[in-house]
Structure formats: C-alpha cells, structure tokens
C-alpha cells in the first residue's frame, strides 16, 4: 500500500511540475521534502527520548504491570494478539485523549515495536492500533481552540462537543473498517 | 490552570521516586530507554523522508490544487461547502498546513460562521493520517501495511462527514 501511495503521490506531483516546465521547482520540492524529514525527526527526538527514558524507568519499577493487567481485557477485544503491548497502547491512547501529543507518539512507537513480529507485515492488531491513532479522540482540541480565539470567535469552545462526537464517529469507523478490511488485505 | 500544568511534572517526580524506592537503577533505566528511542528514530528517518518528499512534490507542484478544483463540484453536490474542499484535501497530509488553511478560512468567513465552525470541527476531529502511518510503520520497518491505510482514510472521511453534520 505505501509502495503505491509513495509512487503515485510523487509521480503525479513531478508530472504536474513537468507540464508546467518547472524543473527547478521540482528539484527544490524534492529537496525540501527530505530536508523536512531531518527537521521533523529532530523535533520529534527531544520528547521521544524523554518519554522513552521515563517509560523504561516506570517499567523496571513495575508501574506498567498494573496498567497492563487493567487494560488487557478491554484492549484485547480490539487487538487479539496484544502481547506485551497493553501498557504502551493504553498510555498512547490516554496521552492522545488528554492532548499530550508529544508523549503520545513515543508510547505509540513503543506499542508498535511490541506488536511487531519482525516479518515486515502488519498484524491485525498493529493495523487496528494505527487506524485508531489516525482518528483523533481528544478531550480538548487545543490547537483549533487557539486558532479560533486568535481569529476573534465569540465562543471558541462551542466546537468542542461536535468535534468530540465527530472524532468518536471516526474512531468507531476506524475500528469497524480495520476489522472488516483485515479479511480483504491478506 | 496553574495546578493542571503541574500534574505531569509531579507525575514524573512520583515515578522517579517510586522507582528509587523499588531499588531500580533509575539512571541506567533512563539511559537504556533513551538509547532504544534513538535507534527507533534512525529507522524512522527514511520513512519520514519518503513521505515528506512525496507530499512536498504534490503540494509544491499545485497538483493538490488541481485535484481540489476537480472534486469541488462533486463535493458541493454532497453538501460540502466549496471553501472547505482544499482543507479536507490537505488534512491527511499536513497538520501545520491545515491549521494555516483553518486560519485563512476563519479570517475570511468568520470563526462563528457555518464555514468557520465546520472547518474547526474537521481539523479537530481528524488526524494527519499519512504522517501517523509513516511514523508508526517506519519505526518497525513494516512495509506490508495491509488494511491500516484504507481504514485510516475511511475513519478520516467519516470524521469529516459527521463533523460537517454536527458543526
């Protein structure tokens, strides 16, 4: 899938550049992409290192065991081959919910590492987890509220409830389609 | 709000203190965790490079703009207001890009107008799908992503549609 996504997006973009006769623009856009990856990786690195270190401390202190035990049952309804990933999955979903995006990504990466079987193929549980992470169930959409406030909204918070309900619908759709499509994509 | 902002730092103090009481070598555990994260980050970088290159070319060439113009009439028939189409098209690819469009829409149409409210809900209830997918699959080197991408896209479409209905 990513194979196709990558080739189609890149090829379509480059062809449009070619039609416009803008070769220099095409090269600049290509270079901006890879350069942007370095910037983004560096931005991610700080919080990623911090939370991975703290997670390891919490784990060795036995703190994540309790969380795993508590969350294993409900989570395995969604992800049958959860394995040792219950704690990072729960922490990822909780961090997302409370809008701590910086912490959510490291926990999510830890979760997929534990769901991975090293065969280069997504398991049903891994696909479910990633689909769920692509829907944004969040208590307060802080960045949207900030933009609304900056743009002079009379009531910036008035979109919170519709946003929450729409993101619940998105999460629900992610669960259903990941379950059903698992049979189509072998 | 001052107290709320203290919750996470205090939680960290509690974790460190508890680990010390449990006779964990806290310093070593922290270093081990950070070390692992650095390795994940290195395996992540190629996937970020690939995805961001594709997105940069697509946006920079104006292909995304053509696509938006192309689907606008059909989208309007479905009840999606024309100014929202570029936002919906860009949302799965770029978080900062869609916030910039949101700002433009709120300035032009008003934050409390129907377009402004719908745009706010769309941005709040959906994620940067292609970014999420490439980060997580990149970290473990999974290339056979199976149903994850289509399920994520369906989820985004449902979030957008329900968002427009409820806004």
């Amino acid at each position: 899938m990513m194979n196709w996504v990558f080739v189609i997006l890149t090829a379509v973009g480059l062809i449009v550049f070619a039609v416009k006769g803008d070769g220099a623009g095409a090269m600049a856009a290509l270079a901006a992409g890879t350069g942007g990856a370095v910037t983004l990786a560096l931005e991610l690195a700080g919080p990623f290192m911090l939370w991975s270190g703290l997670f390891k401390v919490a784990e060795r202190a036995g703190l994540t065991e309790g969380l795993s035990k508590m969350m294993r049952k409900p989570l395995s309804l969604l992800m049958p081959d959860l394995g040792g990933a219950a704690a990072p999955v729960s922490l990822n979903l909780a961090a997302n919910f409370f809008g701590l995006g910086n912490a959510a990504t490291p926990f999510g990466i830890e979760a997929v590492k534990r769901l991975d079987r090293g065969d280069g193929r997504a398991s049903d549980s891994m696909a479910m987890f990633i689909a769920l992470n692509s829907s944004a169930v969040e208590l307060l959409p802080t960045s949207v509220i900030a933009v609304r406030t900056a743009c002079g909204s009379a009531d910036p918070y008035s979109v919170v409830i519709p946003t929450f309900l729409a993101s619940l619908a998105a999460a629900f759709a992610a669960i259903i389609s990941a379950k059903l499509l698992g049979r189509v994509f072998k | 709000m001052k107290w709320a902002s203290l919750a996470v730092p205090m939680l960290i103090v509690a974790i460190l203190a508890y680990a010390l009481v449990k006779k964990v070598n806290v310093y070593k555990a922290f270093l081990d965790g950070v070390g692992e994260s650095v390795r994940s980050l290195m395996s992540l970088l190629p996937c970020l490079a690939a995805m961001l290159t594709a997105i940069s070319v697509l946006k920079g060439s104006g292909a995304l703009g053509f696509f938006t113009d192309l689907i606008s009439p059909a989208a309007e028939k479905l009840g999606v207001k024309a100014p929202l189409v570029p936002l919906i098209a860009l949302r799965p690819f770029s978080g900062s890009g869609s916030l910039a469009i949101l700002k433009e829409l709120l300035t032009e149409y008003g934050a409390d107008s129907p377009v402004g409210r719908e745009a706010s809900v769309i941005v709040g209830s959906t994620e940067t799908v292609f970014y999420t997918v490439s980060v997580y699959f990149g970290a473990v080197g999974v290339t056979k992503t199976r149903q994850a991408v289509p399920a994520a896209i369906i989820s985004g479409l449902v979030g957008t549609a329900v968002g427009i209905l409820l806004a």
Side-chain angles (χ1 to χ4, degrees), chain A residues 79-152:
Chain A
M79 301 168 217
D81 41 348
L82 189 61
V89 168
S90 322
L91 287 170
N92 165 269
L93 296 178
N96 267 327
F97 185 75
F98 291 109
L100 303 167
N102 275 345
T105 310
F107 294 140
I109 290 174
E110 184 63 34
V112 286
K113 273 163 75 182
R114 292 183 187 201
L115 290 169
D116 184 38
R117 290 168 308 200
D119 56 357
R121 178 179 174 277
S123 64
D124 282 335
S125 296
M126 194 192 282
M128 174 65 79
F129 176 72
I130 290 171
L132 254 186
N133 251 280
S134 306
S135 62
V137 185
E138 200 181 332
L139 193 58
L140 274 184
T142 38
S143 51
V144 170
I145 293 170
V147 173
R148 288 179 60 77
T149 311
C151 292

Side-chain angles (χ1 to χ4, degrees), chain B residues 64-87 89:
Chain B
L64 208 58
F66 286 138
F67 176 71
T68 307
D69 293 343
L70 205 68
I71 60 167
S72 270
E76 270 184 277
K77 281 209 181 87
L78 289 169
V80 180
K81 298 180 179 66
L84 294 175
V85 176
L87 176 68

Side-chain angles (χ1 to χ4, degrees), chain A residues 43-103:
Chain A
E43 278 170 17
L44 272 176
F48 189 20
M49 285 156 71
L50 171 68
W51 288 103
S52 303
L54 288 173
F55 182 76
K56 189 62 82 187
V57 174
E59 194 176 33
R60 293 211 180 138
L63 279 169
T64 57
E65 258 166 64
L67 184 67
S68 299
K69 269 190 196 134
M70 205 166 66
M71 296 303 290
R72 175 165 297 282
K73 270 235 168 91
L75 284 178
S76 51
L77 290 177
L78 295 176
M79 301 168 217
D81 41 348
L82 189 61
V89 168
S90 322
L91 287 170
N92 165 269
L93 296 178
N96 267 327
F97 185 75
F98 291 109
L100 303 167
N102 275 345

Side-chain angles (χ1 to χ4, degrees), chain A residues 147-164:
Chain A
V147 173
R148 288 179 60 77
T149 311
C151 292
S153 169
D155 186 1
Y157 288 85
S158 64
V159 294
V160 168
I161 289 168
T163 301
F164 188 73

Side-chain angles (χ1 to χ4, degrees), chain A residues 7-23 26 30, chain B residues 54 57-58 60-63 66:
Chain A
V7 174
I8 291 173
L9 295 186
T10 312
V12 167
L14 289 178
I15 290 167
V16 174
F17 267 121
V19 170
K20 289 179 164 174
D22 186 6
L30 287 170
Chain B
V57 169
L58 197 70
S61 65
F66 286 138

Side-chain angles (χ1 to χ4, degrees), chain B residues 14-27:
Chain B
I15 291 171
L16 295 179
Y18 181 82
L20 205 60
V21 171
K22 283 271 166 184
K23 298 207 165 61
V24 173
N25 187 340
V26 177
Y27 181 62

Side-chain angles (χ1 to χ4, degrees), chain B residues 11-160:
Chain B
L11 183 72
I12 294 173
V13 172
I15 291 171
L16 295 179
Y18 181 82
L20 205 60
V21 171
K22 283 271 166 184
K23 298 207 165 61
V24 173
N25 187 340
V26 177
Y27 181 62
K28 176 150 195 312
F30 189 79
L31 294 192
D32 288 348
V34 173
E36 277 175 31
S37 74
V38 173
R39 281 188 290 280
S40 304
L41 207 62
M42 291 320 274
S43 59
L44 186 66
L45 192 55
C47 304
L48 285 180
M51 189 46 65
L52 291 187
T53 300
I55 293 169
S56 167
V57 169
L58 197 70
K59 266 181 20 192
S61 65
L64 208 58
F66 286 138
F67 176 71
T68 307
D69 293 343
L70 205 68
I71 60 167
S72 270
E76 270 184 277
K77 281 209 181 87
L78 289 169
V80 180
K81 298 180 179 66
L84 294 175
V85 176
L87 176 68
I88 296 169
L90 188 67
R91 184 72 188 103
F93 300 108
S94 165
S96 54
S98 31
L99 275 178
I101 297 190
L102 176 66
K103 205 174 236 166
E104 280 168 28
L105 289 176
L106 295 192
T107 312
E108 195 175 336
Y109 295 87
D112 301 308
S113 68
V115 168
R117 290 180 55 85
E118 287 173 21
S120 306
V121 175
I122 290 170
V123 173
S125 64
T126 51
E127 261 291 347
T128 320
V129 170
F130 286 100
Y131 165 77
T132 309
V133 168
S134 37
V135 166
Y136 287 151
F137 281 128
V140 284
V142 165
T143 49
K144 216 166 176 310
T145 58
R146 297 181 60 223
Q147 72 269 38
V149 179
I153 293 172
I154 292 172
S155 156
L157 289 174
V158 168
T160 303

